[in-house]
Amino acid sequence: MQKNNISNMQGDAKLPLPYRSWIDTYYSPIKIIGWVIFCIYSFIAFYKLVIDRLVDVILVLWKDEYSLVELGLFDYSDWRLTTNFVPFETILRYINYSQYFNLEIIIINLLGNLLIFTPMGFLLPLLSKRFRKAWAVICVGFLSSLAVETIQFIFTVGSADIDDLILNTLGAWFGYLAYKSILIKPKKK
């Protein structure tokens, strides 16, 4: 029964033969290890994007160095300085005015936002049948990124930017494309 489920899990495409026989043999441990890796990746990504910044704020508040007002937490009077709702504004600013920015900042902000969600797009289709379609991976990437950007906006940690949302979602899609191109080959008709 399990072998039948495993061979049918790819739908119209199959894993190349060397992968398929190995995965059929070690299916359960591979699935468990895959989910563990995905959970670790998710925690690290969310930690770097949100938790790390919130912990810094909490530590400053805990030490009584500053108050909420002095830190500007929940103060949205100058939200325009840390928020961008105009699609592609930040990306075009980095491209058009690259001579005024440190190259490292451009790479971290553009390439980093693209790459941080790429593992999600690669791992999810491997781990669950629900994510074998591009639209499912794109939706999860979009909603995950939206959650991060919303938390950054609400707690005024980092900068909430629609371009980050676009790049993160593209990163998830690129991960899905890597999954499709590396591990899946179309069935011959």
Side-chain angles (χ1 to χ4, degrees), residues 1-169:
M1 176 70 179
Q2 185 175 355
K3 264 213 190 264
N4 191 20
N5 287 341
I6 295 168
S7 62
N8 289 333
M9 72 182 187
Q10 293 301 328
D12 291 336
K14 286 201 171 231
L15 288 170
L17 194 56
Y19 298 121
R20 196 173 345 134
S21 63
W22 188 79
I23 288 175
D24 286 351
T25 306
Y26 302 105
Y27 181 73
S28 292
I30 290 171
K31 189 104 173 179
I32 291 168
I33 290 168
W35 277 110
V36 168
I37 290 170
F38 181 75
C39 289
I40 291 169
Y41 150 75
S42 297
F43 176 78
I44 290 170
F46 193 70
Y47 180 83
K48 292 304 281 176
L49 293 170
V50 176
I51 296 172
D52 187 33
R53 297 168 182 175
L54 286 175
V55 167
D56 289 343
V57 169
I58 290 168
L59 287 175
V60 167
L61 290 172
W62 179 271
K63 293 177 185 178
D64 284 336
E65 293 176 9
Y66 297 97
S67 68
L68 282 174
V69 174
E70 291 171 323
L71 282 176
L73 238 59
F74 307 112
D75 176 15
Y76 303 110
S77 60
D78 61 349
W79 63 270
R80 288 184 184 106
L81 298 176
T82 60
T83 307
N84 172 34
F85 292 119
V86 179
F88 304 106
E89 181 178 297
T90 304
I91 295 169
L92 291 174
R93 185 180 319 129
Y94 283 137
I95 292 170
N96 292 332
Y97 301 105
S98 61
Q99 68 271 21
Y100 300 111
F101 290 102
N102 182 340
L103 182 61
E104 186 177 326
I105 290 173
I106 295 172
I107 290 172
I108 287 172
N109 284 314
L110 297 183
L111 193 58
N113 277 312
L114 194 65
L115 293 178
I116 197 157
F117 277 68
T118 302
M120 176 187 291
F122 186 83
L123 291 172
L124 280 177
L126 283 174
L127 299 173
S128 176
K129 286 186 224 180
R130 295 179 190 154
F131 301 106
R132 300 265 161 77
K133 301 285 183 203
W135 67 266
V137 171
I138 290 169
C139 285
V140 170
F142 174 81
L143 293 173
S144 300
S145 181
L146 182 63
V148 167
E149 296 303 318
T150 301
I151 291 169
Q152 288 179 343
F153 178 76
I154 290 171
F155 291 101
T156 60
V157 291
S159 61
D161 193 335
I162 195 164
D163 289 351
D164 292 352
L165 185 67
I166 293 167
L167 290 169
N168 295 158
T169 305

